Amino acid sequence: MQKNIFIILVALVLFVNCKQSTIAQSEKKDAHPNIEEADASLLTATNPSEVKEILSFLASDELGGRDTGSEGLEKAAQFIEGEFEKYGIAPYFETYRNTFDAKGISTFNVVGYLKGTDKTLANEFVIVGAHFDHIGTGKEVNGDTIANGANDNAAGSTAVISLAKQFAKLKNNKRSILFVLFGAEEKGLLGSQHLAEVLKEKDIDLYAMVNFEMIGVPLNEKSFKAYITGYEVSNMAKKINEYTGSELIGYLPKAKEFHLFQRSDNYPFYKQFNVPCQTISTFDFTNYDYYHHVDDEASEMNFEFIAELINECIPAIEKMANTPSKEIKLN
């Protein structure tokens, strides 16, 4: 009899403890209804040290300013290919390289491919891009002639590499994504022009293209974190802000004044496909003095800011890759 009573008491204690645990877990989930999503976000967050490591290599003296056709550009490409391979980003072509002629110099774009998970939507594409070349050398300052191109555009290249890593980990993109590092941008958008023509010939279904250019330092006295070129061309800025639940993207009048929409690698895709193709940037003509200057060094970059911007762009690109219909449209 005593043994039976003991067993019943133990069972009651176990039942009460289990119930309390279930209630606690339920309360935790009620208080944080997106706890799984938050945990997933933390798993895919880019941190400033990762940004610093990638950007510092791309903008190092070892790469000599990444001029078209240079040994430094080759080293940068090999690094990018290694990162893509490590994360599980496949080559889109037979190799990662899309070769073309840049005014008599053989060079290339680096093109990574993350196939969409949805049988139908996988036939639609989002391009995430940035140019990885620079001008090589510049006017000498204190014996230094290497134009390292940290802000222009190792910063944007770092964003593309980091986003490729995050989406390779998430594996939740229904549409296919191309992660592209363009060559010969400094020669006149030659890399993006070539790839846009190639993809047009392949008749891919391009939904949208998001380009990153000069995102190394924060904007001066703006309520938004970055601006988008061609703000009025489409509803991309509005949708990005909606997708992120923040004022991430704003309008910079000088971007229109200086025709920046036509001056970066988004433009050839817009011309070829007539779909939303725009550039995210934080260079506002007042916040950085070293455009095409030998002092455009990694030491001038705000790694915390770059990491924040990359992470805040993840849900926007995630939505672009997953909405049932193409919500971003030309105006």
Side-chain angles (χ1 to χ4, degrees):
M1 183 70 176
Q2 287 179 339
K3 185 176 180 182
N4 290 339
I5 292 172
F6 177 75
I7 291 171
I8 292 169
L9 286 172
V10 169
L12 282 171
V13 168
L14 289 172
F15 174 78
V16 169
N17 286 342
C18 182
K19 190 72 174 175
Q20 286 176 337
S21 176
T22 302
I23 291 169
Q25 288 178 2
S26 177
E27 287 174 347
K28 185 179 179 183
K29 191 168 183 179
D30 290 340
H32 303 281
N34 297 319
I35 192 161
E36 286 93 353
E37 291 87 341
D39 289 345
S41 176
L42 287 172
L43 284 172
T44 57
T46 296
N47 64 60
S49 64
E50 292 173 312
V51 168
K52 182 178 181 180
E53 182 179 355
I54 296 170
L55 199 158
S56 295
F57 175 73
L58 293 176
S60 65
D61 285 355
E62 180 186 345
L63 270 58
R66 308 187 308 282
D67 198 3
T68 299
S70 70
E71 183 182 342
L73 190 77
E74 172 65 27
K75 288 181 179 179
Q78 289 178 10
F79 171 80
I80 294 161
E81 290 166 336
E83 294 296 282
F84 280 178
E85 188 173 5
K86 183 167 63 180
Y87 305 149
I89 300 293
Y92 180 66
F93 301 102
E94 288 186 10
T95 71
Y96 287 110
R97 301 193 185 193
N98 166 233
T99 304
F100 61 95
D101 179 84
K103 300 178 180 178
I105 302 171
S106 179
T107 191
F108 46 84
N109 303 306
V110 180
V111 187
Y113 173 47
L114 189 62
K115 187 176 181 180
T117 60
D118 183 88
K119 186 176 180 181
T120 302
L121 290 179
N123 295 315
E124 299 176 7
F125 284 80
V126 173
I127 295 176
V128 178
H131 75 90
F132 78 113
D133 67 307
H134 198 233
I135 61 172
T137 57
K139 184 179 178 181
E140 181 180 337
V141 176
N142 297 324
D144 183 12
T145 59
I146 298 173
N148 301 78
N151 199 23
D152 183 18
N153 188 32
S157 298
T158 298
V160 174
I161 296 165
S162 299
L163 287 166
K165 177 182 178 180
Q166 309 311 340
F167 280 93
K169 284 160 62 179
L170 285 168
K171 292 183 175 64
N172 68 347
N173 54 296
K174 292 180 179 180
R175 291 185 175 88
S176 295
I177 306 177
L178 295 182
F179 297 97
V180 185
L181 286 306
F182 298 107
E185 187 268 358
E186 299 289 359
K187 304 295 184 187
L189 311 182
L190 299 184
S192 51
Q193 181 179 319
H194 175 76
L195 183 61
E197 291 171 356
V198 168
L199 296 179
K200 186 66 175 178
E201 287 174 8
K202 288 173 69 70
D203 197 29
I204 74 160
D205 187 352
L206 180 62
Y207 170 27
M209 188 267 196
V210 181
N211 191 54
F212 290 89
E213 177 84 54
M214 298 182 71
I215 59 166
V217 295
L219 293 163
N220 276 336
E221 299 176 348
K222 305 290 191 298
S223 60
F224 45 90
K225 183 154 280 183
Y227 66 89
I228 202 166
T229 64
Y231 184 92
E232 69 287 347
V233 171
S234 79
N235 66 342
M236 186 180 286
K238 178 183 175 183
K239 297 305 290 187
I240 287 175
N241 290 344
E242 177 187 316
Y243 293 158
T244 61
S246 65
E247 191 184 11
L248 180 61
I249 301 297
Y251 171 65
L252 186 77
K254 277 193 173 293
K256 186 173 184 179
E257 178 186 344
F258 285 89
H259 307 289
L260 298 190
F261 176 65
Q262 292 91 344
R263 292 174 59 185
S264 197
D265 289 309
N266 60 285
Y267 191 62
F269 292 92
Y270 169 77
K271 291 289 286 183
Q272 285 288 342
F273 290 91
N274 195 35
V275 298
C277 301
Q278 289 160 268
T279 292
I280 291 174
S281 180
T282 65
F283 172 68
D284 67 8
F285 298 87
T286 69
N287 63 345
Y288 200 68
D289 296 329
Y290 302 127
Y291 173 69
H292 283 191
H293 192 289
V294 299
D295 287 338
D296 184 8
E297 303 262 13
S299 58
E300 300 294 327
M301 298 294 94
N302 186 324
F303 302 116
E304 290 77 12
F305 170 78
I306 299 169
E308 285 175 10
L309 181 59
I310 291 169
N311 289 329
E312 290 181 36
C313 285
I314 291 172
I317 296 170
E318 190 175 0
K319 276 285 190 180
M320 286 185 204
N322 286 288
T323 55
S325 63
K326 296 177 178 178
E327 297 182 350
I328 298 173
K329 304 176 186 294
L330 295 176
N331 290 330

